[in-house]
Amino acid sequence: MPLLEGLSAIVTGAGRGLGRAEALELARLGAAVVVNDYGQPGRDGSGEASAGPAEEVAAEIRASGGRALAHTGDVADFQQARELVESAVGEFGKLDILVNNAGILRDRMVFSMAEEEWDAVIRVHLKGHFNTLRFAAAHWRERSKRAGGPVYGRVVNTSSEAFLVGSAGQPNYAAAKGGIVGLTTSTALALAKYGVTANAICPRARTRMTQDVFAAVDQPPEGLDPLAPEHVAPLVGYLASPAAARITGQLLVVHGGMVAVVERPRIAAQFDSKQDTFTYDELDAHLTPYYAERPEGETFAATEVLGLRRGR
């Protein structure tokens, strides 16, 4: 029996790229999938009527013998996110897996960024993650109350290496992706008693959204592109499976046949005041020499993450 047989899933931003690969993988593992991608049916390059990317992926799943439903709502809209969760419950009887992937880019240096560029990215990424989580969490809590114990629930959120390394040209994106990690760890603690796990991944993939970001990274003449979304989808399928029941509140980097577990922040040093509170002079005596001995240019950003490769 497929690992996810009898379970239902939502994947946001699933019409193309990462979300599409994740939706197809969950369906391959047996889950019924609501394929969410914002937008309406239109016309393709030849002028012919097009069902739209969400319906095209859903149709691909159904053609392979799976169960799928297309949803074209905006997850950054609170009411439409509610309707998305309700559509999964209405169609498949319950929701078991939520994969938040939908996102946009509006890259610019912080001194040049327009207010609407900041707001748009925070809205789609961070608010979009919250909106779907809000209604999925309420569904699982109510199911758990009715069942009198834990239920099956899996959340996979999408963060980014931009948050880990402090991407200079993406202050809006880095902030949103950092917020998603905080949302994930909070959700993991809040929903643990209901049987729900919540984890975040930092995928590196060549998609329509990131084509400019990875334009300089060559694709191999043969074989699977190291930045193909298909490298990411299996981890999402695993985190959605029963085998990952003890994995929650975690952050994992994934790309090119590699998965790296990111360790939580740890305290590097602690300084205590000799009186009730610090004075400027006392802080100067502690912190100035401490940072003088640290590597120049070192910040909280973990830039070494960018060097991760399979086999290293």
Side-chain angles (χ1 to χ4, degrees):
M1 180 179 292
L3 288 171
L4 305 182
E5 186 72 33
L7 303 178
S8 67
I10 288 172
V11 183
T12 71
R16 302 178 179 89
L18 272 174
R20 174 182 177 274
E22 292 163 353
L24 293 176
E25 177 67 5
L26 292 175
R28 187 188 71 81
L29 294 174
V33 183
V34 179
V35 180
N36 165 264
D37 201 85
Y38 182 49
Q40 299 299 324
R43 297 191 177 277
D44 61 23
S46 66
E48 295 295 321
S50 170
E55 177 54 38
E56 289 170 0
V57 175
E60 186 176 352
I61 291 171
R62 291 193 295 267
S64 298
R67 301 174 65 196
L69 172 72
H71 184 276
T72 57
D74 178 7
V75 294
D77 179 279
F78 196 67
Q79 182 56 36
Q80 291 181 56
R82 180 202 298 266
E83 293 167 358
L84 171 59
V85 173
E86 289 176 347
S87 71
V89 176
E91 182 73 12
F92 304 123
K94 58 185 174 61
L95 174 65
D96 303 290
I97 301 159
L98 172 63
V99 180
N100 280 312
N101 170 75
I104 61 172
L105 289 179
R106 298 291 186 270
D107 293 353
R108 204 174 299 278
M109 300 295 285
V110 68
F111 42 75
S112 303
M113 183 162 288
E115 181 182 15
E116 56 269 24
E117 292 171 327
W118 174 270
D119 289 347
V121 169
I122 298 297
R123 177 182 181 273
V124 175
H125 286 276
L126 187 53
K127 187 181 179 188
H129 272 63
F130 161 72
N131 284 348
T132 55
L133 261 174
R134 159 65 176 81
F135 297 109
H139 169 70
W140 287 320
R141 179 174 179 266
E142 181 57 33
R143 276 176 56 194
S144 178
K145 288 170 64 177
R146 291 199 308 266
V151 296
Y152 194 101
R154 298 286 188 270
V155 176
V156 181
N157 287 333
T158 306
S159 183
S160 170
E161 292 170 299
F163 146 69
L164 289 170
V165 306
S167 183
Q170 299 178 302
N172 48 2
Y173 185 68
K177 291 306 190 180
I180 286 168
V181 174
L183 175 62
T184 303
T185 54
S186 174
T187 300
L189 290 174
L191 300 187
K193 65 181 179 181
Y194 304 120
V196 179
T197 68
N199 295 288
I201 62 171
C202 293
R204 190 185 303 180
R206 197 191 310 271
T207 66
R208 189 176 66 159
M209 189 181 82
T210 63
Q211 60 187 356
D212 293 334
V213 177
F214 295 124
V217 181
D218 293 334
Q219 298 188 47
E222 57 184 36
L224 188 62
D225 181 357
L227 294 179
E230 286 74 16
H231 288 295
V232 177
L235 176 61
V236 173
Y238 170 75
L239 292 174
S241 76
R246 295 186 69 250
I247 303 173
T248 192
Q250 302 297 310
L251 179 64
L252 302 99
V253 176
V254 54
H255 58 81
M258 181 219 72
V259 173
V261 178
V262 180
E263 189 173 22
R264 63 183 177 85
R266 296 185 181 276
I267 305 302
Q270 178 179 331
F271 304 101
D272 298 322
S273 173
K274 292 182 179 180
Q275 49 273 333
D276 287 342
T277 188
F278 272 108
T279 64
Y280 171 88
D281 289 339
E282 199 175 14
L283 287 169
D284 181 34
H286 283 300
L287 295 178
T288 301
Y290 174 75
Y291 280 104
E293 295 178 1
R294 298 294 292 269
E296 186 175 359
E298 179 187 73
T299 71
F300 189 76
T303 54
E304 65 273 13
V305 170
L306 293 178
L308 288 171
R309 296 290 188 281
R310 182 180 180 181
R312 293 187 186 176

